Amino acid sequence: MDSPPSEGESSTSQGESSPSRTVSRSSMMESIRSYGLSRLAGIKIDTDELRRRLLMPQYLRLAMLDSITKKDTDGSDQHFPSSGSADVPCPESPMIVFINPRSGGRNGPVLKERLQKLISEEQVLDLEDVKPHEFVRYGLACIEKWANYGDFCAKEIRQNIRIVVAGGDGTVGWVLGCLGELNQNGREPVPPVAIIPLGTGNDLSRSFGWGGSYPFTWKSGIKRTLHRASVGPVSNLDSWHVVVQVPGGEVADPPHSLKAAEECSLDKTLEIEGDLPDKVNFYEGVFYNYFSIGMDAKVAYGFHHFRNEKPHLAQGPLANKIIYSGYSCSQGWFLTTCTSDPSLRGLKNILRMHVKKVNSTEWERIPVPKSVRAVVALNLHNYGSGRNPWGNLKPKYLEKRGFVEARSDDGLLEIFGLKEGWHASFVMTELISAKHITQAASIRMELRGGEWKEAFMQMDGEPWKQPICNDYSTFVEINRVPFQSVMVNGE
């Protein structure tokens, strides 16, 4: 709803300080509490014992790395002992770490060095040198090969291996997407993923108990992180497949998360009204946190272009947030220019939306509120660096609206709207709720230009400018991926 949650919609009233608001008041306490290290502060973690539990035998480490380098699972046979490996000790919780050295400002390379000393150089993979799909197709496949040949240690490692990703949400999503190949090819189990948060927003990290920032000043922090990653329970995470159908001649400028596709079909049970062009272009991708369209994506688009053009001015989370706030003020998000036609301010003028609700196979038309300038489909509880715009809604309100309690593995997206910058600001400070629109298991958005020549979209923080026209519609369809990702819970 659009008013303060005084009628019982939210479980936290205005007069109380919510946990997330209390945490945000102290950056030091956030580093301790949100990262979850306070529970382990009194626990001494022995370095040798930790390394014994994580370190893979040398012959398997070298074989795995050799297979990745040669891009050939048969190119590492020389590393296997001729006498077998029955007497080789197997680690209890073998671990592979992917690190994005560009994340975390100047601390990325320092963290990489610490990780390599604690585990091994072969088990800490620099994403500038080794891509996640190369690990899946060659490194992990090498271990699987020798497990199938009867190597006991390889079999145990393949069964128990865990992944740690040191980077931002985009890096985590990249790794999760590559691990999804294992489900598609029947190569279970899929290794669960833990996170070392090095990005700006880190909403995936927050959602699974790894906090919003990594405490680089804690010398023992990395040991505690690896310990939690090795023993933490696992939970599931939905992911969402996006198909964008663009009229021929209108080519999108897709981000890394959206790839051109030969052909992707939209759901035939929802008939397309009006004429279709002779040719269409398709793009597809996957998101884990959110998809949005409208003004928030336009602000993000401007920020990303500024950061790419002047990277020296955006060298850390604080600087990024200041620049982002500046773009919010300059893009008409707070004040619509006087020359702008009022009829062009809301998404209602260009957007028609259908959804499939919970336990339903029928498409239903959902009106877009007139005042809404950004529509967000949210999968996690965290959005925009730890905010919860959907809110913790009370059972009575859920029943009244036909909603269910939001979870990251419920097969549903929470769809809400933001009006203008002032409304978004109050929502992000949790003074009011977002404009609740609906919950959906599938979404189709149809955009027809009118006076608009382009729309701005983003997936998990990667924005793009999508050309639209008046003659033919652009379609965006979102459906849940059949297989869930597996996450290590750090709480």
Side-chain angles (χ1 to χ4, degrees):
M1 303 297 289
D2 299 319
S3 58
S6 57
E7 299 181 2
E9 299 103 312
S10 175
S11 60
T12 303
S13 67
Q14 278 185 289
E16 298 171 339
S17 294
S18 69
S20 58
R21 214 174 301 158
T22 301
V23 171
S24 65
R25 289 173 184 158
S26 171
S27 59
M28 180 178 294
M29 292 308 295
E30 180 178 6
S31 295
I32 297 173
R33 289 177 182 167
S34 69
Y35 198 66
L37 293 180
S38 58
R39 293 187 299 108
L40 296 172
I43 301 176
K44 181 175 177 59
I45 299 174
D46 183 78
T47 302
D48 293 335
E49 173 63 17
L50 178 66
R51 196 166 188 266
R52 183 191 65 78
R53 293 172 52 229
L54 306 181
L55 182 64
M56 294 165 52
Q58 185 181 35
Y59 76 94
L60 277 174
R61 302 198 313 265
L62 295 176
M64 179 189 70
L65 193 59
D66 214 14
S67 295
I68 294 172
T69 303
K70 297 178 180 178
K71 295 180 172 54
D72 182 4
T73 57
D74 295 327
S76 57
D77 294 358
Q78 72 274 14
H79 296 293
F80 282 80
S82 57
S83 58
S85 59
D87 298 330
V88 177
C90 294
E92 298 172 18
S93 185
M95 192 166 290
I96 296 292
V97 180
F98 288 102
I99 182 166
N100 186 345
R102 296 186 179 182
S103 299
R106 291 171 293 180
N107 293 307
V110 174
L111 181 61
K112 174 184 172 181
E113 184 178 351
R114 290 184 188 176
L115 287 164
Q116 288 179 333
K117 287 182 178 179
L118 272 172
I119 312 177
S120 71
E121 292 188 8
E122 297 86 5
Q123 287 175 241
V124 179
L125 305 179
D126 188 322
L127 284 167
E128 292 187 349
D129 301 325
V130 178
K131 304 300 183 283
H133 70 270
E134 295 173 341
F135 165 75
V136 171
R137 296 174 188 176
Y138 306 109
L140 200 59
C142 169
I143 296 175
E144 291 172 348
K145 168 188 169 181
W146 287 98
N148 293 332
Y149 283 175
D151 186 281
F152 174 78
C153 200
K155 183 178 180 179
E156 288 292 304
I157 286 175
R158 178 61 186 92
Q159 186 69 28
N160 299 321
I161 194 169
R162 292 190 171 198
I163 306 292
V164 175
V165 181
D169 284 349
T171 304
V172 178
W174 183 19
V175 173
L176 290 175
C178 294
L179 290 174
E181 292 184 19
L182 299 173
N183 278 319
Q184 297 169 13
N185 299 324
R187 294 169 57 192
E188 287 88 3
V190 177
V193 174
I195 304 172
I196 298 176
L198 301 184
T200 302
N202 298 313
D203 288 310
L204 265 170
S205 175
R206 297 172 195 268
S207 296
F208 290 94
W210 297 101
S213 61
Y214 178 75
F216 288 101
T217 55
W218 286 40
K219 293 183 179 180
S220 60
I222 187 59
K223 289 198 295 183
R224 302 183 193 282
T225 299
L226 296 178
H227 171 75
R228 291 164 61 212
S230 67
V231 300
V234 300
S235 15
N236 293 326
L237 168 67
D238 288 333
S239 54
W240 297 87
H241 181 238
V242 178
V243 173
V244 182
Q245 178 180 303
V246 187
E250 298 286 346
V251 180
D253 179 20
H256 180 270
S257 58
L258 199 69
K259 305 294 185 184
E262 289 296 325
E263 182 158 353
C264 299
S265 60
L266 302 179
D267 190 334
K268 297 295 193 296
T269 61
L270 178 58
E271 185 177 350
I272 295 176
E273 300 178 8
D275 297 330
L276 293 174
D278 296 331
K279 181 182 178 181
V280 294
N281 297 321
F282 289 97
Y283 299 83
E284 64 177 342
V286 174
F287 71 90
Y288 299 87
N289 190 357
Y290 69 93
F291 174 93
S292 72
I293 176 172
M295 204 64 196
D296 69 322
K298 183 177 181 180
V299 171
Y301 182 83
F303 165 74
H304 276 258
H305 274 259
F306 178 88
R307 186 171 62 176
N308 291 337
E309 292 171 2
K310 300 179 179 180
H312 59 284
L313 296 179
Q315 292 191 344
L318 180 59
N320 288 343
K321 289 174 182 177
I322 292 174
I323 297 169
Y324 201 99
S325 299
Y327 261 94
S328 297
C329 295
S330 65
Q331 294 288 332
W333 190 211
F334 284 88
L335 297 173
T336 304
T337 59
C338 297
T339 58
S340 175
D341 185 341
S343 67
L344 301 180
R345 297 176 186 175
L347 283 176
K348 179 181 176 67
N349 300 288
I350 64 166
L351 177 64
R352 181 162 59 177
M353 183 165 59
H354 290 80
V355 305
K356 289 182 182 179
K357 292 188 176 180
V358 59
N359 299 324
S360 175
T361 59
E362 301 294 326
W363 288 99
E364 178 181 341
R365 173 78 181 273
I366 300 294
V368 178
K370 182 179 179 180
S371 58
V372 163
R373 300 184 69 194
V375 171
V376 182
L378 183 64
N379 186 42
L380 303 177
H381 293 297
N382 290 283
Y383 167 84
S385 300
R387 280 72 174 183
N388 184 6
W390 185 256
N392 299 309
L393 308 182
K394 287 189 173 181
K396 185 176 180 180
Y397 179 75
L398 292 172
E399 183 180 0
K400 176 183 175 182
R401 294 296 304 270
F403 296 159
V404 298
E405 184 180 357
R407 300 196 319 271
S408 60
D409 61 349
D410 58 7
L412 294 173
L413 291 168
E414 284 65 55
I415 304 175
F416 62 87
L418 301 171
K419 296 180 180 180
E420 69 284 313
W422 298 113
H423 176 245
S425 296
F426 286 127
V427 169
M428 298 302 277
T429 54
E430 300 179 350
L431 294 176
I432 62 174
S433 303
K435 180 74 174 179
H436 297 145
I437 298 178
T438 190
Q439 286 179 314
S442 296
I443 307 171
R444 181 182 291 182
M445 299 179 181
E446 179 181 359
L447 296 103
R448 183 71 70 91
E451 297 297 324
W452 294 36
K453 304 301 181 185
E454 57 197 20
F456 291 85
M457 307 180 188
Q458 63 174 332
M459 296 196 318
D460 286 353
E462 289 194 77
W464 74 96
K465 181 167 60 176
Q466 180 65 56
I468 56 177
C469 65
N470 191 39
D471 296 328
Y472 301 107
S473 294
T474 295
F475 293 92
V476 177
E477 191 167 290
I478 302 173
N479 292 285
R480 189 173 71 89
V481 175
F483 304 104
Q484 292 178 315
S485 297
V486 186
M487 307 297 296
V488 180
N489 198 316
E491 290 182 337

